[in-house]
Amino acid sequence: MKHLTEMVEQHKRGNSNGIYAVCSAHPLVLEAAIRYAHSHQTPLLIEATSNQVDQFGGYTGMTPADFHAFVCRLAESLGFPTSQLILGGDHLGPNRWQNLPAEQAMANADDLIKSYVSAGFKKIHLDCSMSCEDDPVPLTDAIVAGRAARLANIAEATCREQFGESDLVYVIGTEVPVPGGAHETLTELAVTTPDAARATLEAHRHAFEKEGLSDIWPRIIGLVVQPGVEFDHAHVCDYQPQKAVALSKMVEAYDTLVFEAHSTDYQTPQALRQLVNDHFAILKVGPALTFALREALFSLAAIEEELLPAKASSGLRHVLENVMLDRPEYWQSHYHGDGNARRLARGYSYSDRVRYYWPDSQIDDAFARLVRNLADEPVPLPLISQYLPLQYSKVREGALKSTPRELIIDHIQDILQQYHAACEGVTTQNA
């Protein structure tokens, strides 16, 4: 996948450049990302996570082929060239089937990999770091690497069968943060040691050799490690570069490898830039984007309540709360405390479990009604100033239309802008 291999080559030549990965299946988040990349004439990396999209549909109801087709249609409708679009699969492995015996879980993972590669996904994150029902806890590097190599073998064979040759690129790693943020309250994280990172690489190199896959090693472009960034429901562990100096230095010995940083959501713009400088050149972002979507929708719902009587309003927030209470499976095991603490978490948590509920038909209907209600007349400027102050400035300058949809898109793009700036890259004097 030339966009990604060229990014790594440039980074290795001394450019402090990188790429961010949009990890979301929400149509408005994807539209915001595509439009942002289009306006800045950059490639766009979009990743589907194994719990969102799998061969059975995931929580979005989409298979990899469905998701690929959906993203390509959306890109084409927005005039974005699909040649600039990179699709990746995140946490591909037995993650969804940890409650099954290992061999059964891995059989499902085999099919998962086939379905992603057959659909045209080119960046494959091999994640076999989780223990299954009959596994030891934790898994050894050798077991994780052996399972990753098994999946890589299937991916290579599938790609050659479908497309004549393999141009897949891979990300590996055993110190993989939990998809979607930590479940527990965090205070501080241990940064991966250089020795642990090297051991992971050597275990994978050995496992790939045993599978006859030594020739694909240059296409393993990313290693997932823990640089000390994470978030829980109400806190963010900020990047502390001084604690990652040794780890950052270690990857400089590998000609075709950078680090992939997961859970970078909610980091400051300065921290994101420093991560890229320190060779964490692939930045993953997901919940922060749907969090921004939720912020914009709650703001618009508040504006709607000021403008319309209750019986004419969408009641979006009430509908959302009721659906989450009726179907608590996506938040119940994550949010704790008394009734008020759980209510606040449902609406405002950094973990953003709300994102699992947007596809619900009742919530979607309320969203559509909210947008219709506010689209009939221009949204009053004082109310935009009150509830969406960053967008207010752009509306006043004539740079942004004050329609509900444009206000939402722009609010999401404020987050994307931080990642774009972090990944821009500036040539160093030694390059």
Side-chain angles (χ1 to χ4, degrees):
M1 193 65 206
K2 66 181 179 66
H3 290 306
L4 294 175
T5 54
E6 286 174 2
M7 179 278 291
V8 174
E9 287 169 7
Q10 289 173 16
H11 189 92
K12 288 296 181 178
R13 286 200 298 267
N15 295 352
S16 56
N17 64 302
I19 192 167
Y20 60 90
V22 173
C23 304
S24 178
H26 196 286
L28 281 173
V29 170
L30 295 177
E31 180 179 340
I34 291 168
R35 287 171 56 179
Y36 190 90
H38 193 16
S39 67
H40 289 81
Q41 297 184 310
T42 61
L44 177 63
L45 173 56
I46 294 173
E47 300 204 22
T49 305
S50 58
N51 59 357
Q52 291 173 329
V53 173
D54 66 18
Q55 66 269 42
F56 306 112
Y59 76 75
T60 62
M62 285 189 280
T63 65
D66 294 333
F67 184 79
H68 191 283
F70 166 64
V71 172
C72 287
R73 283 196 305 271
L74 183 58
E76 288 168 359
S77 73
L78 295 168
F80 186 74
T82 53
S83 61
Q84 293 289 93
L85 198 58
I86 311 159
L87 268 78
D90 198 21
H91 295 286
L92 301 188
N95 178 48
R96 289 274 284 170
W97 305 286
Q98 295 176 51
N99 61 327
L100 299 177
E103 195 44 51
Q104 194 176 343
M106 284 301 296
N108 281 336
D110 293 345
D111 292 338
L112 177 72
I113 287 285
K114 287 179 188 173
S115 66
Y116 267 84
V117 175
S118 296
F121 288 73
K122 296 298 184 183
K123 177 180 177 288
I124 304 298
H125 172 212
L126 300 170
D127 181 8
C128 298
S129 62
M130 61 291 298
S131 295
C132 299
E133 183 188 59
D134 54 353
D135 275 333
V137 180
L139 295 179
T140 64
D141 273 2
I143 293 174
V144 174
R147 291 177 181 176
R150 164 179 167 167
L151 297 182
N153 212 346
I154 292 169
E156 288 293 296
T158 304
C159 198
R160 287 194 300 270
E161 181 183 318
Q162 292 287 324
F163 306 106
E165 61 178 2
S166 178
D167 58 349
L168 301 175
V169 296
Y170 296 94
V171 172
I172 58 173
T174 56
E175 299 205 14
V176 183
V178 176
H183 297 187
E184 71 280 4
T185 300
L186 299 172
T187 52
E188 190 174 359
L189 291 167
V191 174
T192 301
T193 66
D195 285 346
R198 278 189 284 265
T200 295
L201 284 170
E202 288 312 306
H204 280 78
R205 190 189 295 274
H206 180 65
F208 276 58
E209 282 176 0
K210 284 179 67 176
E211 288 280 349
L213 296 171
S214 296
D215 61 321
I216 75 167
W217 196 256
R219 289 190 275 122
I220 300 173
I221 61 166
L223 175 66
V224 180
V225 290
Q226 178 50 269
V229 303
E230 184 57 281
F231 59 92
D232 62 21
H233 309 313
H235 306 93
V236 179
C237 288
D238 290 312
Y239 181 52
Q240 299 180 52
Q242 69 277 10
K243 293 186 176 182
V245 170
L247 178 63
S248 171
K249 199 78 178 161
M250 163 260 160
V251 81
E252 293 175 1
Y254 297 85
D255 291 341
T256 58
L257 192 75
V258 295
F259 289 130
E260 177 168 283
H262 288 221
S263 300
T264 69
D265 307 75
Y266 314 111
Q267 292 290 310
T268 66
Q270 295 80 5
L272 293 173
R273 185 72 190 119
Q274 191 62 52
L275 279 162
V276 174
N277 284 340
D278 291 346
H279 311 311
F280 301 93
I282 306 172
L283 301 177
K284 307 295 280 292
V285 57
L289 299 173
T290 45
F291 185 91
L293 167 71
R294 193 270 312 154
E295 284 183 324
L297 288 173
F298 277 21
S299 295
L300 291 174
I303 291 172
E304 181 192 38
E305 288 179 7
E306 295 289 350
L307 295 175
L308 298 174
K311 63 181 180 181
S313 292
S314 65
L316 175 68
R317 292 196 58 181
H318 300 293
V319 173
L320 178 62
E321 174 72 354
N322 290 337
V323 170
M324 292 182 78
L325 290 172
D326 288 343
R327 294 174 43 219
E329 63 268 24
Y330 290 121
W331 62 265
Q332 199 165 37
S333 63
H334 291 72
Y335 299 153
H336 308 289
D338 61 21
N340 193 51
R342 286 154 75 94
R343 177 189 64 81
L344 284 170
R346 283 193 297 273
Y348 298 101
S349 165
Y350 281 139
S351 305
D352 190 48
R353 307 301 293 179
V354 172
R355 70 185 185 277
Y356 291 89
Y357 294 89
W358 293 124
D360 180 88
S361 59
Q362 294 179 66
I363 296 170
D364 197 45
D365 289 345
F367 161 74
R369 187 173 183 184
L370 169 67
V371 171
R372 282 198 309 272
N373 282 344
L374 294 180
D376 290 340
E377 300 287 342
V379 181
L381 287 172
L383 291 178
I384 299 176
S385 177
Q386 175 67 41
Y387 292 104
L388 289 165
L390 297 178
Q391 282 61 54
Y392 171 75
S393 299
K394 297 173 192 175
V395 171
R396 288 285 288 115
E397 291 164 1
L400 178 66
K401 294 179 181 177
S402 60
T403 64
R405 190 178 191 86
E406 292 304 306
L407 293 169
I408 295 166
I409 294 288
D410 189 78
H411 192 66
I412 298 167
Q413 288 179 339
D414 282 343
I415 305 300
L416 293 167
Q417 189 277 330
Q418 296 174 17
Y419 281 83
H420 171 77
C423 294
E424 272 185 328
V426 178
T427 304
T428 66
Q429 291 181 343
N430 298 325

